[in-house]
């Protein structure tokens, strides 16, 4: 009887907390979707169509929230660190050299050229644009257009924002099913414009648990990573592609067989920039993925595994090399912080900077009658 009462009290307290969160005003209004079997529960806010919690079950059946975020989702707008926690990123993800491109694409277009566009530069002291500008899609007030128990759809009208040409109307739907989460996007443009979207989910498959003595849940170096790719894009010291497409053989970027992220950590210096240890690289998938996962990641401590399929030709893996943000309370915050390498972002996207590398022959220009679409499916399982 006492046990029952306690359980009721806990449920009530839990409910009250959830109520508070659900009552956040737009655009930080929280929508919760859950798989019918309870295996996946995800929470989203309208702002950036952003995921703020993702609850999965570990091998012992305990639920863990496996993504970093904020307890106060308005930090998504205000945090100067701007880690882009789990948002939809656009109109053009990743880096654009000097914030400059032309239509049709040319290499290093002159500032005074025709059909040359400039986007505010917000990365590396103004040397490039990262994730769509200062106010990219991750920092915009999207509108909730539909929701039910398992699905939520948001809309955003990007009206030539940040200097991109023309308007882009984009819908994003997040759906859960038993053991999976799927996010998909569809966008239409009013004139020729580059579009290259991603979803910037950071993973800590141990739910940042702190009460373990035999496993370091503070970093992802012991996670096993598998990437179906033999090629990656060469980048300069700012992470901007220079043109060459390199092979992973005999490099610390070879994850064609499942390998621990930290297995070649000593060699992973200068890989993400001068003096930077870790990964922030774009791998080109060997072939269109179809139903085959392009990336798999698992923790042999929690037992949680994610297999990622997508219609994108590439993936960026970023080991959160500069992360430094107070944690959510569920992860021991705000006393504890999300530190470098405590999570890994895995981003399904196009060839990065293809709009400045015309020799690759990758078409990322959309226009009326030529819509953009994108999707990713995360399948969850336990490895033991
Ligand atoms: C960078 O872009 C600015 C315009 O935003 C232009 O004035 C400048 O010449 C460009 N720099 C280079 C090196 O192309
Ligand atoms: C554009 O700028 C370049 C480099 O500054 C210069 O050489 C060229 O004459 C300019 N072209 C026009 C049409 O102004
Ligand atoms: C987006 O929402 C924030 C928070 O409510 C608000 O401060 C801002 O003005 C809104 N932006 C636009 C463009 O409506
Ligand atoms: C929820 O919405 C999604 C997307 O519109 C739809 O596919 C699904 O059938 C809906 N589910 C229920 C239970 O109504
Ligand atoms: C772009 O969006 C703005 C703001 O809603 C609107 O005024 C304008 O008419 C739109 N342009 C086109 C070509 O649809
Ligand atoms: C470890 O922490 C989790 C989550 O905070 C808790 O549910 C679990 O009971 C703890 N385990 C131990 C052994 O203290
Ligand atoms: C755990 O990982 C963090 C972050 O990489 C590191 O600072 C810390 O020293 C590690 N702790 C142990 C016990 O290895």
């Amino acid at each position: 009887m006492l046990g029952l009462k306690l359980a009721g009290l806990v449920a009530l307290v839990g409910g009250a907390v959830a109520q508070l969160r659900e009552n956040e005003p737009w655009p930080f209004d929280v929508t919760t979707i859950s798989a019918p079997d309870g295996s996946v529960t995800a929470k989203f806010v309208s702002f950036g169509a952003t995921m703020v919690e993702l609850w999965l079950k570990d091998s012992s059946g305990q639920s863990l929230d496996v993504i970093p975020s904020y307890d106060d989702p308005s930090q998504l707008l205000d945090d100067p660190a701007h880690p882009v926690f789990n948002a939809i990123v656009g109109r053009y993800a990743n880096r654009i050299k000097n914030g400059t491109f032309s239509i049709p694409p040319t290499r290093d277009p002159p500032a005074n050229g025709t059909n040359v566009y400039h986007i505010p530069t917000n990365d590396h002291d103004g040397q490039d644009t990262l994730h769509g500008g200062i106010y990219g899609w991750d920092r915009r007030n999207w509108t909730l257009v539909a929701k039910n128990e398992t699905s939520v759809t948001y809309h955003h009208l990007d009206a030539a924002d940040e200097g991109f040409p023309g308007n882009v109307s984009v819908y994003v739907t997040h759906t859960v099913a038993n053991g999976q989460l799927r996010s998909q996007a569809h966008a239409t443009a009013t004139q020729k414009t580059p579009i290259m979207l991603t979803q910037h989910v950071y993973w800590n498959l141990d739910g940042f648990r702190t009460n373990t003595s035999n496993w370091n849940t503070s970093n992802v170096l012991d996670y096993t990573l598998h990437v179906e790719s033999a090629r990656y894009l060469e980048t300069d010291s700012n992470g901007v592609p220079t043109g060459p497409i390199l092979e992973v053989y005999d490099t610390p970027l070879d994850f064609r067989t499942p390998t621990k992220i930290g297995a070649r950590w000593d060699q992973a210096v200068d890989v993400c920039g001068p003096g930077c240890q870790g990964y922030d690289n774009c791998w080109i998938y060997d072939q269109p993925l179809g139903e085959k996962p392009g990336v798999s990641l698992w923790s042999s401590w929690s037992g949680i595994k994610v297999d990622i399929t997508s219609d994108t030709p590439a993936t960026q893996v970023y080991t959160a090399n500069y992360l430094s943000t107070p944690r959510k309370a569920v992860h021991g915050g705000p006393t504890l912080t999300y530190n470098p390498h405590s999570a890994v972002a895995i981003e399904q996207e196009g060839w990065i900077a293809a709009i400045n590398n015309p020799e690759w022959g990758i078409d990322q220009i959309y226009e009326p009658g030529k819509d953009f679409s994108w999707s990713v499916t995360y399948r969850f399982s336990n490895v033991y």
Side-chain angles (χ1 to χ4, degrees):
M1 197 58 196
L2 182 64
L4 273 178
K5 267 187 186 157
L6 276 177
L9 189 62
V10 169
L12 194 65
V13 170
V17 170
Q19 276 283 287
L20 270 177
R21 293 298 305 276
E22 300 290 339
N23 286 338
E24 296 275 357
W26 179 83
F28 303 108
D29 53 319
V30 178
T31 296
T32 303
I33 55 176
S34 289
D37 69 355
S39 56
V40 186
T41 293
K43 297 189 181 188
F44 295 87
V45 292
S46 295
F47 193 77
T50 302
M51 186 161 62
V52 291
E53 293 179 23
L54 177 60
W55 293 85
L56 303 176
K57 292 198 169 147
D58 72 8
S59 286
S60 70
Q62 189 181 352
S63 287
L64 299 178
D65 179 5
V66 299
I67 60 170
S69 185
Y70 309 96
D71 282 325
D72 172 5
S74 70
Q75 290 278 296
L76 291 163
L77 173 62
D78 294 337
D79 182 1
H82 194 201
V84 196
F85 280 146
N86 322 307
I88 294 296
V89 173
R91 177 183 306 193
Y92 198 87
N94 209 271
R95 297 188 170 91
I96 304 173
K97 187 179 176 183
N98 196 33
T100 305
F101 63 89
S102 66
I103 299 176
T106 50
R107 177 171 287 282
D108 296 324
N112 58 3
T114 50
N115 294 321
V116 173
Y117 297 89
H118 302 287
I119 311 304
T121 50
N122 58 340
D123 194 37
H124 293 109
D125 300 322
Q127 295 178 65
D128 63 87
T129 295
L130 180 59
H131 294 330
I134 297 166
Y135 295 101
W137 289 358
D138 68 300
R139 280 185 150 175
R140 295 281 172 178
N141 299 338
W142 295 52
T143 308
L144 192 160
V145 292
K147 69 173 173 177
N148 63 26
E149 295 80 359
T150 56
S151 182
V152 58
T153 299
Y154 297 101
H155 174 252
H156 173 53
L157 174 66
D158 168 349
D161 291 336
E162 302 296 86
F164 283 102
N167 292 359
V168 173
S169 172
V170 55
Y171 289 86
V172 165
T173 298
H174 305 290
T175 309
V176 291
N178 293 343
Q180 78 170 54
L181 165 68
R182 181 174 160 83
S183 294
Q184 50 200 316
H186 188 88
T188 52
T190 59
Q191 69 180 74
K192 284 190 183 205
T193 178
I195 302 176
M196 203 274 276
L197 172 154
T198 195
Q199 184 182 33
H200 206 284
V201 182
Y202 285 90
W203 303 89
N204 179 302
L205 299 176
D206 300 324
F208 296 94
R209 261 192 276 186
T210 51
N211 58 357
T212 166
S213 54
N214 60 351
W215 181 267
N216 194 343
T217 59
S218 296
N219 71 45
V220 296
L221 302 193
D222 284 331
Y223 292 4
T224 305
L225 177 68
H226 182 195
V227 184
E228 287 282 349
S229 166
R231 296 182 303 162
Y232 69 104
L233 300 180
E234 183 184 83
T235 43
D236 66 14
S237 58
N238 288 343
V240 174
T242 46
I245 303 160
L246 305 179
E247 299 200 328
V248 298
Y249 307 100
D250 294 324
T251 79
L253 286 90
D254 189 350
F255 287 95
R256 290 171 301 149
T257 54
T259 306
K260 286 194 172 179
I261 289 176
R264 293 151 304 186
W265 203 240
D266 290 347
Q267 296 169 52
V269 179
D270 299 337
V271 167
C272 50
C276 175
Q277 187 169 29
Y279 297 95
D280 189 9
N281 301 91
C282 182
W283 280 259
I284 306 301
Y285 289 130
D286 292 337
Q287 56 206 26
L289 295 179
E291 288 303 301
K292 192 179 179 189
V295 179
S296 299
L297 179 77
W298 67 92
S299 162
S300 52
W301 189 73
S302 70
I304 295 176
K305 180 181 188 194
V306 53
D307 289 303
I308 304 175
T309 55
S310 177
D311 60 1
T312 64
T315 185
Q316 185 93 5
V317 177
Y318 170 53
T319 49
N321 305 318
Y322 300 100
L323 204 53
S324 173
T325 302
R327 294 185 186 187
K328 293 187 271 196
V330 70
H331 294 150
T335 318
L336 297 178
T337 52
Y338 298 119
N339 290 333
H341 317 131
S342 66
V344 54
I346 302 176
E347 309 155 45
Q348 305 312 303
E349 63 192 4
W351 291 50
I352 61 171
I355 49 169
N356 283 323
N357 290 276
E359 74 277 17
W360 293 341
I362 304 293
D363 181 11
Q364 296 175 333
I365 306 296
Y366 297 85
E367 61 188 299
K370 185 180 170 193
D371 294 355
F372 173 89
S373 68
W374 167 97
S375 74
V376 56
T377 302
Y378 307 96
R379 288 194 177 78
F380 308 112
S381 57
N382 291 128
V383 290
Y384 66 89

